[in-house]
Amino acid sequence: MRNLCLLGASGSIGRQTLDVIKKHPNDFSLISFSVGHQTRKIALIIKNNPSVKSICLMEKSKVNYYQKKYPNIKFYYGDDGLLKLIDDSIDMMVNALVGFVGLEPTLYALENNKIVCLANKEALVVGGELVNKVLKKGQGKLYPIDSEHSAIKKCLMVDSSNVKSIWLTASGGAFRNLKREQLNSVTPEDALKHPTWKMGQKITIDCATMVNKAFEIIEAHYLFNYPFDKIKIKLHNESHIHSYVEYENGELRLDISKPDMRNPIELALYEFNKEFRTYTAKSLGQFKKYHFYDFDISRYPVIKWAEKVINEKGTYGAVFNAANEVAVHAFLNHEISFLDIERIIEKLMLEHENIKHPNYEKMREIDIKTRQNAYELIKNRRY
Ligand code: NAD
Ligand code: MG
């Protein structure tokens, strides 16, 4: 039996993690969780998980009300509150938060030798170096939930010798059938119509801009230790091939299944210690019912920032992430256009003077500074 802490229980990955826990009541017990604005969801989560003993809310103002309502449960709030959930009674933390806020709990859980199942890719985009340093030093363990990385991990577990490249598949997001010229007038409502996955708003926009794939390249670099030029992208309409490994002899090993995030969540919770299947193929041409297209960087130029973050490291990941978080938020609020997201990222990445080997405090400082710079750019329309 594993005692679990679930950060971001009210979100898309959080809710699907609760489904997986419910399916395996003898293997996992929910001890603590956090929710954001959707505090209405607390009652049902507690009802389904009587083992819960602490909860973190985003807003301090709601703590009193809930503390009175549930006197046997300890309530916390804010970023510090997230860390308080990860105490001695916890074996495993599932990080289903979105954004920079997921980095500190990831580092904290690993420093305390916990098992971390990570959906929050931003933690690796910003702090991949820090995360790997903690992993090397202590007994903490890290398992990916992101479907592409779960797929690659499975393939490498079967055969990691003579790897030529790892290939991340990409649906192309909501605008995959549009040319770049047609992106000028697209709306947030259009961008939120993802063709194959139902996810949180931020990642859905990130899929349309391809920032999500740039983040996933960085995530793959830190998880599997391959350089940028060995991590490739293949556009694949159906999202059934979750990713694949290409070997020196030309053979491929692939992970294939219908898109359902509960599969990679379950595998991560079982620490990849569960039966799984991968497939081999001579080429993608064998899969006649699927559609594949070569990736074109001129259509999705944000991918170049993944190369910069991987090759130069330091604080570039923090800038890429913070610029994107602010820009996506502004786009969702109809304050900027779709293509302005990449313009804001470009401007802030070019202006940034990299700081090598930053600690968490420095990353946080750069995160805050970049957000301020991004707000200024948006306010003064200087991008
Ligand atoms: P979501 O928006 O549905 O949920 C995010 C959760 O984080 C919510 O519970 C929200 O309340 C919480 N949260 C946000 N900001 C917070 C803050 N400042 N403090 C405390 N809590 C906060 O997002 P999601 O789609 O579930 O994605 C979660 C993570 O998983 C992201 O990093 C995303 O890139 C990754 N991911 C998601 C999917 C998917 O299918 N949804 C697939 C792969 C990876
Ligand atoms: Mg993914």
mmCIF file of all heavy atoms in Angstrom, residues 7-16 34-38 57-58 78-79 82 95-99 101 118-122 145-148 197-204 206 212 215-216 261, ligand 1:
data_model
loop_
_atom_site.group_PDB
_atom_site.id
_atom_site.type_symbol
_atom_site.label_atom_id
_atom_site.label_comp_id
_atom_site.label_asym_id
_atom_site.label_seq_id
_atom_site.Cartn_x
_atom_site.Cartn_y
_atom_site.Cartn_z
ATOM 1 N N LEU A 7 -1.197 16.647 -5.768
ATOM 2 C CA LEU A 7 -1.248 18.105 -5.961
ATOM 3 C C LEU A 7 -1.989 18.411 -7.253
ATOM 4 O O LEU A 7 -1.665 17.851 -8.307
ATOM 5 C CB LEU A 7 0.167 18.689 -6.021
ATOM 6 C CG LEU A 7 1.063 18.422 -4.814
ATOM 7 C CD1 LEU A 7 2.391 19.166 -4.942
ATOM 8 C CD2 LEU A 7 0.377 18.801 -3.514
ATOM 9 N N GLY A 8 -2.993 19.285 -7.157
ATOM 10 C CA GLY A 8 -3.793 19.629 -8.346
ATOM 11 C C GLY A 8 -4.922 18.639 -8.579
ATOM 12 O O GLY A 8 -5.225 18.284 -9.718
ATOM 13 N N ALA A 9 -5.587 18.219 -7.481
ATOM 14 C CA ALA A 9 -6.602 17.157 -7.567
ATOM 15 C C ALA A 9 -7.822 17.562 -8.394
ATOM 16 O O ALA A 9 -8.537 16.697 -8.922
ATOM 17 C CB ALA A 9 -7.043 16.747 -6.158
ATOM 18 N N SER A 10 -8.073 18.865 -8.522
ATOM 19 C CA SER A 10 -9.281 19.302 -9.220
ATOM 20 C C SER A 10 -9.072 19.450 -10.725
ATOM 21 O O SER A 10 -10.021 19.669 -11.474
ATOM 22 C CB SER A 10 -9.740 20.644 -8.645
ATOM 23 O OG SER A 10 -8.638 21.550 -8.616
ATOM 24 N N GLY A 11 -7.838 19.327 -11.206
ATOM 25 C CA GLY A 11 -7.556 19.522 -12.629
ATOM 26 C C GLY A 11 -7.784 18.254 -13.445
ATOM 27 O O GLY A 11 -8.247 17.229 -12.927
ATOM 28 N N SER A 12 -7.438 18.346 -14.723
ATOM 29 C CA SER A 12 -7.663 17.232 -15.647
ATOM 30 C C SER A 12 -6.855 15.986 -15.233
ATOM 31 O O SER A 12 -7.407 14.893 -15.067
ATOM 32 C CB SER A 12 -7.288 17.705 -17.058
ATOM 33 O OG SER A 12 -7.035 16.634 -17.897
ATOM 34 N N ILE A 13 -5.557 16.138 -15.018
ATOM 35 C CA ILE A 13 -4.732 14.993 -14.585
ATOM 36 C C ILE A 13 -5.111 14.579 -13.162
ATOM 37 O O ILE A 13 -5.180 13.387 -12.842
ATOM 38 C CB ILE A 13 -3.228 15.349 -14.650
ATOM 39 C CG1 ILE A 13 -2.781 15.552 -16.105
ATOM 40 C CG2 ILE A 13 -2.372 14.269 -13.982
ATOM 41 C CD1 ILE A 13 -2.728 14.309 -16.961
ATOM 42 N N GLY A 14 -5.400 15.571 -12.301
ATOM 43 C CA GLY A 14 -5.781 15.277 -10.915
ATOM 44 C C GLY A 14 -7.024 14.381 -10.860
ATOM 45 O O GLY A 14 -7.045 13.372 -10.154
ATOM 46 N N ARG A 15 -8.034 14.733 -11.620
ATOM 47 C CA ARG A 15 -9.291 13.949 -11.605
ATOM 48 C C ARG A 15 -9.050 12.542 -12.132
ATOM 49 O O ARG A 15 -9.587 11.567 -11.607
ATOM 50 C CB ARG A 15 -10.360 14.649 -12.456
ATOM 51 C CG ARG A 15 -10.839 15.976 -11.861
ATOM 52 C CD ARG A 15 -12.098 16.457 -12.547
ATOM 53 N NE ARG A 15 -11.961 16.585 -13.985
ATOM 54 C CZ ARG A 15 -11.512 17.672 -14.618
ATOM 55 N NH1 ARG A 15 -11.137 18.727 -13.918
ATOM 56 N NH2 ARG A 15 -11.439 17.710 -15.936
ATOM 57 N N GLN A 16 -8.222 12.433 -13.166
ATOM 58 C CA GLN A 16 -7.960 11.095 -13.718
ATOM 59 C C GLN A 16 -7.092 10.268 -12.764
ATOM 60 O O GLN A 16 -7.203 9.043 -12.715
ATOM 61 C CB GLN A 16 -7.309 11.224 -15.090
ATOM 62 C CG GLN A 16 -8.262 11.868 -16.097
ATOM 63 C CD GLN A 16 -7.635 12.030 -17.463
ATOM 64 O OE1 GLN A 16 -7.625 11.100 -18.250
ATOM 65 N NE2 GLN A 16 -7.096 13.196 -17.751
ATOM 66 N N SER A 34 -4.339 18.830 -2.932
ATOM 67 C CA SER A 34 -4.564 20.271 -3.057
ATOM 68 C C SER A 34 -5.569 20.528 -4.169
ATOM 69 O O SER A 34 -5.688 19.728 -5.106
ATOM 70 C CB SER A 34 -3.254 21.007 -3.382
ATOM 71 O OG SER A 34 -2.960 20.922 -4.766
ATOM 72 N N VAL A 35 -6.321 21.621 -4.020
ATOM 73 C CA VAL A 35 -7.196 22.094 -5.106
ATOM 74 C C VAL A 35 -6.940 23.582 -5.297
ATOM 75 O O VAL A 35 -6.426 24.255 -4.405
ATOM 76 C CB VAL A 35 -8.705 21.867 -4.814
ATOM 77 C CG1 VAL A 35 -9.049 20.398 -4.765
ATOM 78 C CG2 VAL A 35 -9.126 22.559 -3.528
ATOM 79 N N GLY A 36 -7.310 24.081 -6.459
ATOM 80 C CA GLY A 36 -7.167 25.514 -6.742
ATOM 81 C C GLY A 36 -8.464 26.228 -6.425
ATOM 82 O O GLY A 36 -8.957 26.179 -5.301
ATOM 83 N N HIS A 37 -9.047 26.860 -7.439
ATOM 84 C CA HIS A 37 -10.288 27.607 -7.223
ATOM 85 C C HIS A 37 -11.497 26.689 -7.049
ATOM 86 O O HIS A 37 -12.502 27.086 -6.473
ATOM 87 C CB HIS A 37 -10.549 28.544 -8.406
ATOM 88 C CG HIS A 37 -9.462 29.565 -8.579
ATOM 89 N ND1 HIS A 37 -9.216 30.532 -7.631
ATOM 90 C CD2 HIS A 37 -8.544 29.752 -9.565
ATOM 91 C CE1 HIS A 37 -8.188 31.270 -8.036
ATOM 92 N NE2 HIS A 37 -7.765 30.814 -9.196
ATOM 93 N N GLN A 38 -11.399 25.461 -7.533
ATOM 94 C CA GLN A 38 -12.585 24.596 -7.552
ATOM 95 C C GLN A 38 -12.790 23.856 -6.228
ATOM 96 O O GLN A 38 -12.767 22.624 -6.164
ATOM 97 C CB GLN A 38 -12.469 23.592 -8.695
ATOM 98 C CG GLN A 38 -12.381 24.266 -10.039
ATOM 99 C CD GLN A 38 -12.522 23.267 -11.162
ATOM 100 O OE1 GLN A 38 -13.424 22.448 -11.157
ATOM 101 N NE2 GLN A 38 -11.621 23.328 -12.116
ATOM 102 N N LEU A 57 -5.477 24.570 0.118
ATOM 103 C CA LEU A 57 -6.283 25.421 -0.767
ATOM 104 C C LEU A 57 -5.384 26.500 -1.351
ATOM 105 O O LEU A 57 -4.349 26.832 -0.775
ATOM 106 C CB LEU A 57 -7.419 26.088 0.023
ATOM 107 C CG LEU A 57 -8.292 25.170 0.873
ATOM 108 C CD1 LEU A 57 -9.350 25.994 1.600
ATOM 109 C CD2 LEU A 57 -8.956 24.104 0.014
ATOM 110 N N MET A 58 -5.797 27.063 -2.467
ATOM 111 C CA MET A 58 -4.992 28.122 -3.065
ATOM 112 C C MET A 58 -5.187 29.419 -2.277
ATOM 113 O O MET A 58 -4.248 30.168 -2.060
ATOM 114 C CB MET A 58 -5.421 28.322 -4.513
ATOM 115 C CG MET A 58 -4.324 28.731 -5.422
ATOM 116 S SD MET A 58 -4.694 28.140 -7.064
ATOM 117 C CE MET A 58 -4.840 29.664 -7.930
ATOM 118 N N GLY A 78 -1.869 28.154 0.017
ATOM 119 C CA GLY A 78 -0.744 28.786 -0.693
ATOM 120 C C GLY A 78 0.382 27.832 -1.060
ATOM 121 O O GLY A 78 0.285 26.616 -0.862
ATOM 122 N N ASP A 79 1.461 28.413 -1.584
ATOM 123 C CA ASP A 79 2.600 27.606 -2.052
ATOM 124 C C ASP A 79 3.255 26.836 -0.909
ATOM 125 O O ASP A 79 3.632 25.672 -1.067
ATOM 126 C CB ASP A 79 3.663 28.506 -2.717
ATOM 127 C CG ASP A 79 3.117 29.201 -3.959
ATOM 128 O OD1 ASP A 79 1.929 29.001 -4.277
ATOM 129 O OD2 ASP A 79 3.874 29.955 -4.593
ATOM 130 N N LEU A 82 1.422 23.692 0.093
ATOM 131 C CA LEU A 82 1.636 22.503 -0.759
ATOM 132 C C LEU A 82 2.733 21.630 -0.150
ATOM 133 O O LEU A 82 2.628 20.404 -0.123
ATOM 134 C CB LEU A 82 2.035 22.918 -2.179
ATOM 135 C CG LEU A 82 0.985 23.691 -3.001
ATOM 136 C CD1 LEU A 82 1.601 24.188 -4.312
ATOM 137 C CD2 LEU A 82 -0.232 22.822 -3.287
ATOM 138 N N ASN A 95 2.269 14.969 -8.966
ATOM 139 C CA ASN A 95 2.269 16.405 -9.230
ATOM 140 C C ASN A 95 1.457 16.687 -10.495
ATOM 141 O O ASN A 95 1.946 16.525 -11.614
ATOM 142 C CB ASN A 95 3.700 16.913 -9.383
ATOM 143 C CG ASN A 95 3.759 18.424 -9.462
ATOM 144 O OD1 ASN A 95 2.757 19.073 -9.751
ATOM 145 N ND2 ASN A 95 4.920 18.986 -9.223
ATOM 146 N N ALA A 96 0.204 17.104 -10.279
ATOM 147 C CA ALA A 96 -0.699 17.441 -11.397
ATOM 148 C C ALA A 96 -0.991 18.934 -11.418
ATOM 149 O O ALA A 96 -2.030 19.361 -11.905
ATOM 150 C CB ALA A 96 -1.986 16.631 -11.279
ATOM 151 N N LEU A 97 -0.050 19.717 -10.862
ATOM 152 C CA LEU A 97 -0.191 21.174 -10.919
ATOM 153 C C LEU A 97 0.182 21.645 -12.318
ATOM 154 O O LEU A 97 0.893 20.947 -13.041
ATOM 155 C CB LEU A 97 0.767 21.841 -9.910
ATOM 156 C CG LEU A 97 0.538 21.533 -8.445
ATOM 157 C CD1 LEU A 97 1.705 22.071 -7.617
ATOM 158 C CD2 LEU A 97 -0.779 22.138 -7.959
ATOM 159 N N VAL A 98 -0.243 22.849 -12.665
ATOM 160 C CA VAL A 98 0.193 23.422 -13.932
ATOM 161 C C VAL A 98 1.070 24.641 -13.638
ATOM 162 O O VAL A 98 0.770 25.430 -12.745
ATOM 163 C CB VAL A 98 -1.022 23.772 -14.830
ATOM 164 C CG1 VAL A 98 -1.964 24.778 -14.200
ATOM 165 C CG2 VAL A 98 -0.566 24.286 -16.196
ATOM 166 N N GLY A 99 2.212 24.718 -14.346
ATOM 167 C CA GLY A 99 3.051 25.914 -14.258
ATOM 168 C C GLY A 99 4.209 25.829 -13.272
ATOM 169 O O GLY A 99 4.464 24.779 -12.662
ATOM 170 N N VAL A 101 4.636 26.805 -10.357
ATOM 171 C CA VAL A 101 4.314 26.455 -8.970
ATOM 172 C C VAL A 101 4.619 24.977 -8.664
ATOM 173 O O VAL A 101 4.819 24.607 -7.514
ATOM 174 C CB VAL A 101 2.828 26.814 -8.666
ATOM 175 C CG1 VAL A 101 1.860 25.910 -9.404
ATOM 176 C CG2 VAL A 101 2.550 26.787 -7.171
ATOM 177 N N LEU A 118 5.270 12.595 -12.096
ATOM 178 C CA LEU A 118 5.264 13.981 -12.555
ATOM 179 C C LEU A 118 4.477 14.187 -13.848
ATOM 180 O O LEU A 118 4.856 13.696 -14.905
ATOM 181 C CB LEU A 118 6.717 14.436 -12.783
ATOM 182 C CG LEU A 118 6.922 15.913 -13.062
ATOM 183 C CD1 LEU A 118 6.682 16.754 -11.816
ATOM 184 C CD2 LEU A 118 8.336 16.171 -13.587
ATOM 185 N N ALA A 119 3.372 14.944 -13.727
ATOM 186 C CA ALA A 119 2.682 15.423 -14.935
ATOM 187 C C ALA A 119 3.158 16.830 -15.248
ATOM 188 O O ALA A 119 3.227 17.229 -16.401
ATOM 189 C CB ALA A 119 1.172 15.414 -14.718
ATOM 190 N N ASN A 120 3.493 17.575 -14.195
ATOM 191 C CA ASN A 120 3.884 18.995 -14.284
ATOM 192 C C ASN A 120 5.226 19.159 -15.017
ATOM 193 O O ASN A 120 6.285 19.246 -14.405
ATOM 194 C CB ASN A 120 3.962 19.557 -12.847
ATOM 195 C CG ASN A 120 4.443 20.971 -12.787
ATOM 196 O OD1 ASN A 120 5.602 21.217 -12.472
ATOM 197 N ND2 ASN A 120 3.602 21.920 -13.090
ATOM 198 N N LYS A 121 5.148 19.186 -16.373
ATOM 199 C CA LYS A 121 6.390 19.254 -17.168
ATOM 200 C C LYS A 121 7.151 20.545 -16.939
ATOM 201 O O LYS A 121 8.365 20.595 -17.115
ATOM 202 C CB LYS A 121 6.061 19.048 -18.650
ATOM 203 C CG LYS A 121 5.185 20.105 -19.245
ATOM 204 C CD LYS A 121 4.698 19.707 -20.634
ATOM 205 C CE LYS A 121 3.544 18.737 -20.568
ATOM 206 N NZ LYS A 121 3.079 18.224 -21.811
ATOM 207 N N GLU A 122 6.428 21.619 -16.533
ATOM 208 C CA GLU A 122 7.094 22.913 -16.316
ATOM 209 C C GLU A 122 8.199 22.789 -15.266
ATOM 210 O O GLU A 122 9.206 23.518 -15.334
ATOM 211 C CB GLU A 122 6.073 23.978 -15.899
ATOM 212 C CG GLU A 122 5.041 24.335 -16.992
ATOM 213 C CD GLU A 122 3.779 23.482 -16.952
ATOM 214 O OE1 GLU A 122 3.779 22.430 -16.253
ATOM 215 O OE2 GLU A 122 2.793 23.842 -17.612
ATOM 216 N N ILE A 145 4.550 11.107 -16.202
ATOM 217 C CA ILE A 145 3.149 10.817 -16.525
ATOM 218 C C ILE A 145 2.846 11.243 -17.964
ATOM 219 O O ILE A 145 2.025 10.627 -18.634
ATOM 220 C CB ILE A 145 2.215 11.530 -15.512
ATOM 221 C CG1 ILE A 145 2.237 10.771 -14.179
ATOM 222 C CG2 ILE A 145 0.791 11.630 -16.056
ATOM 223 C CD1 ILE A 145 1.352 11.370 -13.097
ATOM 224 N N ASP A 146 3.516 12.280 -18.445
ATOM 225 C CA ASP A 146 3.289 12.761 -19.816
ATOM 226 C C ASP A 146 3.316 11.564 -20.771
ATOM 227 O O ASP A 146 4.229 10.726 -20.699
ATOM 228 C CB ASP A 146 4.416 13.756 -20.168
ATOM 229 C CG ASP A 146 3.915 14.881 -21.050
ATOM 230 O OD1 ASP A 146 2.802 14.773 -21.590
ATOM 231 O OD2 ASP A 146 4.653 15.876 -21.194
ATOM 232 N N SER A 147 2.330 11.473 -21.679
ATOM 233 C CA SER A 147 2.155 10.239 -22.462
ATOM 234 C C SER A 147 3.379 9.922 -23.338
ATOM 235 O O SER A 147 3.767 8.750 -23.459
ATOM 236 C CB SER A 147 0.906 10.343 -23.329
ATOM 237 O OG SER A 147 0.992 11.467 -24.168
ATOM 238 N N GLU A 148 3.996 10.956 -23.915
ATOM 239 C CA GLU A 148 5.156 10.721 -24.788
ATOM 240 C C GLU A 148 6.324 10.135 -23.992
ATOM 241 O O GLU A 148 7.019 9.234 -24.455
ATOM 242 C CB GLU A 148 5.622 12.032 -25.441
ATOM 243 C CG GLU A 148 4.634 12.654 -26.425
ATOM 244 C CD GLU A 148 3.479 13.380 -25.752
ATOM 245 O OE1 GLU A 148 3.448 13.412 -24.499
ATOM 246 O OE2 GLU A 148 2.597 13.896 -26.460
ATOM 247 N N TRP A 197 -7.153 15.194 -27.566
ATOM 248 C CA TRP A 197 -7.097 15.071 -26.103
ATOM 249 C C TRP A 197 -8.000 16.109 -25.447
ATOM 250 O O TRP A 197 -8.135 17.212 -25.954
ATOM 251 C CB TRP A 197 -5.685 15.346 -25.583
ATOM 252 C CG TRP A 197 -4.637 14.342 -25.945
ATOM 253 C CD1 TRP A 197 -3.745 14.435 -26.969
ATOM 254 C CD2 TRP A 197 -4.319 13.122 -25.260
ATOM 255 N NE1 TRP A 197 -2.907 13.356 -26.956
ATOM 256 C CE2 TRP A 197 -3.232 12.530 -25.935
ATOM 257 C CE3 TRP A 197 -4.848 12.464 -24.136
ATOM 258 C CZ2 TRP A 197 -2.657 11.330 -25.532
ATOM 259 C CZ3 TRP A 197 -4.263 11.263 -23.741
ATOM 260 C CH2 TRP A 197 -3.199 10.709 -24.431
ATOM 261 N N LYS A 198 -8.551 15.759 -24.273
ATOM 262 C CA LYS A 198 -9.292 16.740 -23.483
ATOM 263 C C LYS A 198 -8.442 17.060 -22.252
ATOM 264 O O LYS A 198 -8.204 16.189 -21.419
ATOM 265 C CB LYS A 198 -10.650 16.134 -23.080
ATOM 266 C CG LYS A 198 -11.524 17.138 -22.419
ATOM 267 C CD LYS A 198 -13.004 16.866 -22.548
ATOM 268 C CE LYS A 198 -13.826 17.903 -21.803
ATOM 269 N NZ LYS A 198 -13.151 19.159 -21.513
ATOM 270 N N MET A 199 -7.944 18.298 -22.164
ATOM 271 C CA MET A 199 -6.958 18.620 -21.121
ATOM 272 C C MET A 199 -7.267 19.975 -20.520
ATOM 273 O O MET A 199 -8.200 20.654 -20.938
ATOM 274 C CB MET A 199 -5.558 18.673 -21.750
ATOM 275 C CG MET A 199 -5.208 17.438 -22.537
ATOM 276 S SD MET A 199 -3.577 17.518 -23.282
ATOM 277 C CE MET A 199 -3.860 18.639 -24.639
ATOM 278 N N GLY A 200 -6.442 20.418 -19.575
ATOM 279 C CA GLY A 200 -6.572 21.760 -19.007
ATOM 280 C C GLY A 200 -6.346 22.825 -20.084
ATOM 281 O O GLY A 200 -5.772 22.546 -21.138
ATOM 282 N N GLN A 201 -6.798 24.061 -19.798
ATOM 283 C CA GLN A 201 -6.742 25.136 -20.811
ATOM 284 C C GLN A 201 -5.319 25.480 -21.237
ATOM 285 O O GLN A 201 -5.036 25.653 -22.408
ATOM 286 C CB GLN A 201 -7.395 26.400 -20.242
ATOM 287 C CG GLN A 201 -8.893 26.307 -20.171
ATOM 288 C CD GLN A 201 -9.523 27.684 -20.077
ATOM 289 O OE1 GLN A 201 -8.909 28.629 -19.613
ATOM 290 N NE2 GLN A 201 -10.752 27.785 -20.518
ATOM 291 N N LYS A 202 -4.411 25.586 -20.253
ATOM 292 C CA LYS A 202 -3.069 26.063 -20.577
ATOM 293 C C LYS A 202 -2.352 25.094 -21.519
ATOM 294 O O LYS A 202 -1.801 25.499 -22.543
ATOM 295 C CB LYS A 202 -2.280 26.283 -19.281
ATOM 296 C CG LYS A 202 -1.004 27.060 -19.498
ATOM 297 C CD LYS A 202 0.188 26.273 -19.081
ATOM 298 C CE LYS A 202 1.489 26.958 -19.358
ATOM 299 N NZ LYS A 202 2.576 25.978 -19.388
ATOM 300 N N ILE A 203 -2.394 23.813 -21.212
ATOM 301 C CA ILE A 203 -1.697 22.841 -22.075
ATOM 302 C C ILE A 203 -2.369 22.761 -23.449
ATOM 303 O O ILE A 203 -1.708 22.530 -24.464
ATOM 304 C CB ILE A 203 -1.561 21.447 -21.400
ATOM 305 C CG1 ILE A 203 -0.741 20.512 -22.292
ATOM 306 C CG2 ILE A 203 -2.864 20.845 -21.012
ATOM 307 C CD1 ILE A 203 -0.463 19.139 -21.718
ATOM 308 N N THR A 204 -3.675 23.012 -23.507
ATOM 309 C CA THR A 204 -4.363 22.960 -24.806
ATOM 310 C C THR A 204 -3.876 24.100 -25.707
ATOM 311 O O THR A 204 -3.643 23.897 -26.901
ATOM 312 C CB THR A 204 -5.893 23.014 -24.603
ATOM 313 O OG1 THR A 204 -6.252 21.988 -23.672
ATOM 314 C CG2 THR A 204 -6.634 22.779 -25.894
ATOM 315 N N ASP A 206 -0.910 25.490 -25.311
ATOM 316 C CA ASP A 206 0.490 25.113 -25.571
ATOM 317 C C ASP A 206 0.594 24.103 -26.725
ATOM 318 O O ASP A 206 1.603 24.076 -27.436
ATOM 319 C CB ASP A 206 1.139 24.499 -24.316
ATOM 320 C CG ASP A 206 1.421 25.530 -23.232
ATOM 321 O OD1 ASP A 206 1.333 26.741 -23.512
ATOM 322 O OD2 ASP A 206 1.726 25.111 -22.088
ATOM 323 N N ASN A 212 4.085 23.275 -26.141
ATOM 324 C CA ASN A 212 4.014 21.999 -25.414
ATOM 325 C C ASN A 212 5.081 21.023 -25.911
ATOM 326 O O ASN A 212 5.746 20.357 -25.121
ATOM 327 C CB ASN A 212 2.613 21.386 -25.553
ATOM 328 C CG ASN A 212 2.486 20.100 -24.762
ATOM 329 O OD1 ASN A 212 2.752 20.075 -23.566
ATOM 330 N ND2 ASN A 212 2.107 19.009 -25.414
ATOM 331 N N PHE A 215 8.463 22.098 -24.782
ATOM 332 C CA PHE A 215 8.621 21.713 -23.370
ATOM 333 C C PHE A 215 8.906 20.211 -23.259
ATOM 334 O O PHE A 215 9.723 19.787 -22.441
ATOM 335 C CB PHE A 215 7.342 22.044 -22.593
ATOM 336 C CG PHE A 215 7.210 23.499 -22.194
ATOM 337 C CD1 PHE A 215 8.082 24.463 -22.652
ATOM 338 C CD2 PHE A 215 6.199 23.900 -21.329
ATOM 339 C CE1 PHE A 215 7.966 25.802 -22.278
ATOM 340 C CE2 PHE A 215 6.073 25.227 -20.932
ATOM 341 C CZ PHE A 215 6.948 26.188 -21.410
ATOM 342 N N GLU A 216 8.234 19.432 -24.092
ATOM 343 C CA GLU A 216 8.415 17.975 -23.993
ATOM 344 C C GLU A 216 9.797 17.527 -24.463
ATOM 345 O O GLU A 216 10.330 16.528 -23.984
ATOM 346 C CB GLU A 216 7.318 17.255 -24.783
ATOM 347 C CG GLU A 216 5.968 17.408 -24.077
ATOM 348 C CD GLU A 216 4.828 16.657 -24.709
ATOM 349 O OE1 GLU A 216 4.989 16.127 -25.822
ATOM 350 O OE2 GLU A 216 3.758 16.593 -24.096
ATOM 351 N N MET A 261 -5.216 9.301 -20.626
ATOM 352 C CA MET A 261 -4.136 9.598 -19.685
ATOM 353 C C MET A 261 -4.131 8.695 -18.460
ATOM 354 O O MET A 261 -3.150 8.634 -17.728
ATOM 355 C CB MET A 261 -4.187 11.074 -19.244
ATOM 356 C CG MET A 261 -3.692 12.064 -20.278
ATOM 357 S SD MET A 261 -2.033 11.693 -20.936
ATOM 358 C CE MET A 261 -1.021 11.930 -19.509
HETATM 359 P P1 NAD B 1 -5.517 21.795 -15.186
HETATM 360 O O1 NAD B 1 -5.526 23.241 -15.450
HETATM 361 O O2 NAD B 1 -6.707 20.986 -15.564
HETATM 362 O O3 NAD B 1 -5.233 21.529 -13.636
HETATM 363 C C1 NAD B 1 -4.184 22.181 -12.950
HETATM 364 C C2 NAD B 1 -4.310 22.043 -11.456
HETATM 365 O O4 NAD B 1 -3.311 22.878 -10.850
HETATM 366 C C3 NAD B 1 -5.654 22.510 -10.885
HETATM 367 O O5 NAD B 1 -6.011 21.653 -9.818
HETATM 368 C C4 NAD B 1 -5.340 23.915 -10.364
HETATM 369 O O6 NAD B 1 -6.179 24.298 -9.318
HETATM 370 C C5 NAD B 1 -3.929 23.731 -9.876
HETATM 371 N N1 NAD B 1 -3.183 24.989 -9.810
HETATM 372 C C6 NAD B 1 -2.917 25.849 -10.826
HETATM 373 N N2 NAD B 1 -2.199 26.906 -10.384
HETATM 374 C C7 NAD B 1 -2.009 26.722 -9.069
HETATM 375 C C8 NAD B 1 -1.346 27.451 -8.045
HETATM 376 N N3 NAD B 1 -0.742 28.622 -8.295
HETATM 377 N N4 NAD B 1 -1.330 26.936 -6.791
HETATM 378 C C9 NAD B 1 -1.927 25.771 -6.518
HETATM 379 N N5 NAD B 1 -2.586 25.028 -7.438
HETATM 380 C C10 NAD B 1 -2.621 25.491 -8.689
HETATM 381 O O7 NAD B 1 -4.195 21.219 -15.901
HETATM 382 P P2 NAD B 1 -3.904 19.739 -16.438
HETATM 383 O O8 NAD B 1 -4.330 19.636 -17.859
HETATM 384 O O9 NAD B 1 -4.397 18.715 -15.458
HETATM 385 O O10 NAD B 1 -2.308 19.741 -16.460
HETATM 386 C C11 NAD B 1 -1.533 19.568 -15.291
HETATM 387 C C12 NAD B 1 -0.083 19.333 -15.704
HETATM 388 O O11 NAD B 1 -0.002 18.105 -16.408
HETATM 389 C C13 NAD B 1 0.465 20.405 -16.660
HETATM 390 O O12 NAD B 1 1.809 20.619 -16.389
HETATM 391 C C14 NAD B 1 0.311 19.763 -18.036
HETATM 392 O O13 NAD B 1 1.241 20.259 -18.963
HETATM 393 C C15 NAD B 1 0.561 18.296 -17.696
HETATM 394 N N6 NAD B 1 -0.074 17.337 -18.621
HETATM 395 C C16 NAD B 1 -1.416 17.315 -18.742
HETATM 396 C C17 NAD B 1 -2.019 16.400 -19.596
HETATM 397 C C18 NAD B 1 -3.527 16.294 -19.714
HETATM 398 O O14 NAD B 1 -4.021 15.399 -20.394
HETATM 399 N N7 NAD B 1 -4.301 17.147 -19.078
HETATM 400 C C19 NAD B 1 -1.215 15.516 -20.342
HETATM 401 C C20 NAD B 1 0.164 15.574 -20.195
HETATM 402 C C21 NAD B 1 0.734 16.485 -19.309
#
